[in-house]
Amino acid sequence: MARKTDTADVLAPVTLAVGQEDLLLDRAVQEVVAAARAADADTDVRDLTPDQLQPGTLAELTSPSLFAERKVVVVRNAQDLSADTIKDVKAYLGAPAEEITLVLLHAGGAKGKGLLDAARKAGAREVACAKMTKPADRLSFVRAEFRTAGRSATPEACQALVDAIGSDLRELASAAAQLVADVEGTIDEAVVGRYYTGRAEASSFTVADRAVEGRAAEALEALRWSLSTGVAPVLITSALAQGVRAIGKLSSARGGRPADLARELGMPPWKIDRVRQQMRGWTPDGIAVALRAVAEADAGVKGGGDDPEYALEKAVVTIARAARSRRG
């Protein structure tokens, strides 16, 4: 017999995460996995893309186990599932298995709406993961990050952090976490200023600017100077991420006036003009390579590698080469 759904229960039979904000989607998954492993440390987690969930696969994954093990099955981009697989998922929603939690990540648009409606009708626990396009929403997000961490931050500090970092939620979360880890007592505007404005900001963003412009030697010189003056490696990876993502956002946006693009992409108009100049040598493949390099550097400076400085140098060189991909 299927369990009765409690939409407040993290381990409800089905969780539906709806939206396109990657950070919130990832957190929705992490919350379920953490709860499942708290209940059973040996929980088996299967994280699947649409091409990995073929007709019949869900039945195999959710079939009764000899050892009655707990399992979490995550399906990403559920709106892209094939018609036959969607039939399988809909059938499963009517009779979910014991000790199994299905997590469906859905973009929330018209594509695959039948599956979205079916999950809601079945009483799935729903988590909103919509993009935060309004500055007020991002400000509320930052406040919530500090509150969740059990830390006090002044309204001015929260606003200063949003102003300094911009619209990328993942970078805002990373910056808030860095402040929580490094700063004792109340986090105020002066603290945010020391971390994200002034010389540290100028030096870290100089590294990023030179890298995305394809000027490897100058970028490496700026990197070494930044590290020698005490700039935190995490600030440099954050600046590199912002630089590459800005290239990616603008390259995929439709043409228009800087003011219109600024509203669409969440950038100030002056930055639109700068990024337009920086993106001349970039290709889609180059952007993908650069994003991977940033991710590897971020892992390297946060404990995933033995030499943070080398991780940063490698990323800077890779990004600078990617920036010249169109020029050969």
Side-chain angles (χ1 to χ4, degrees), residues 160 163-165 189-207 225-226 229 231-232 235 239:
D163 291 342
I165 302 300
E189 187 177 9
V191 169
V192 175
R194 286 199 300 271
Y195 269 73
Y196 295 102
T197 59
R199 185 170 69 178
E201 181 186 64
S203 57
S204 60
F205 281 98
T206 296
V207 176
W225 183 87
S226 298
T229 57
V231 176
L235 296 184

Side-chain angles (χ1 to χ4, degrees), residues 43 57 60 105 287 327:
T43 294
T57 303
E60 293 177 11
L105 276 56
I287 293 170
R327 289 170 266 179

